[in-house]
Amino acid sequence: MAKRNEPVRKSVKDTLEDLLAGHREAAFSGPESALKYLRRTFESQASLPNAVKGVAYDLMAEAQAQCGQWEACVESVGQALGYLVDLEAAFPHEYRRLLEGMTCFERGIQAQSELGDFHAALELCERAITLDLGAHYGAKRDSLEWAR
């Protein structure tokens, strides 16, 4: 009998690199193509690692914001933020760089503001400040202070 080939098991890092490369290629054709790529990735990858899901939802939120799909963007931001713990566990040495490269806080604040939920936008500002993601979140918080 012939020996059966074992399925190829990629590391979380390799899976993330594949996702980013595919997204980059799809995004050249615009945010709609990027969304299509990401949706297909979620549909075809039942076992996508949670850390990679977090990055994928972040990319999805960015594309949805570019398309003006504010409700969907808010959902994707919530999903991305839910996977931050997994992202840190999978990439302890690269977590800070990955976190700083994510746009989910920016897009979430934008989407919540577009939808008129300024309290939720303010909460995202506070969370970004807690994570020390930049002084501009303090300025955003200050501009939303009236919503308290």
Side-chain angles (χ1 to χ4, degrees):
M1 273 195 190
K3 185 178 177 184
R4 191 157 64 159
N5 290 334
E6 291 295 319
V8 176
R9 301 204 191 276
K10 290 187 175 189
S11 70
V12 176
K13 184 176 182 177
D14 289 340
T15 304
L16 178 60
E17 288 172 3
D18 288 350
L19 173 84
L20 293 174
H23 175 264
R24 234 182 342 268
E25 187 175 314
F28 280 128
S29 299
E32 294 86 4
S33 284
L35 281 173
K36 186 176 180 180
Y37 167 76
L38 292 165
R39 284 188 191 112
R40 285 185 176 170
T41 298
F42 279 116
E43 290 169 3
S44 66
Q45 299 288 329
S47 62
L48 199 63
N50 286 345
V52 177
K53 286 180 188 176
V55 173
Y57 278 116
D58 177 66
L59 295 170
M60 191 172 271
E62 177 67 32
Q64 290 163 331
Q66 290 175 11
C67 292
Q69 300 174 5
W70 303 119
E71 292 90 359
C73 180
V74 167
E75 289 178 32
S76 293
V77 166
Q79 291 286 342
L81 295 177
Y83 288 115
L84 289 182
V85 171
D86 297 298
L87 187 66
E88 185 174 19
F91 298 100
H93 301 295
E94 298 178 56
Y95 173 69
R96 190 74 201 166
R97 180 186 60 80
L98 291 169
L99 181 64
E100 290 172 352
M102 295 176 81
T103 62
C104 57
F105 287 97
E106 286 284 337
R107 295 302 153 242
I109 293 165
Q110 180 184 12
Q112 295 290 12
S113 296
E114 289 287 337
L115 295 171
D117 192 348
F118 300 105
H119 291 288
L122 193 56
E123 288 175 20
L124 283 171
C125 290
E126 295 289 353
R127 189 162 177 192
I129 291 166
T130 301
L131 291 170
D132 195 27
L133 293 178
H136 63 287
Y137 287 107
K140 287 180 185 291
R141 179 197 56 202
D142 293 345
S143 72
L144 291 168
E145 218 26 70
W146 60 271
R148 285 193 196 268

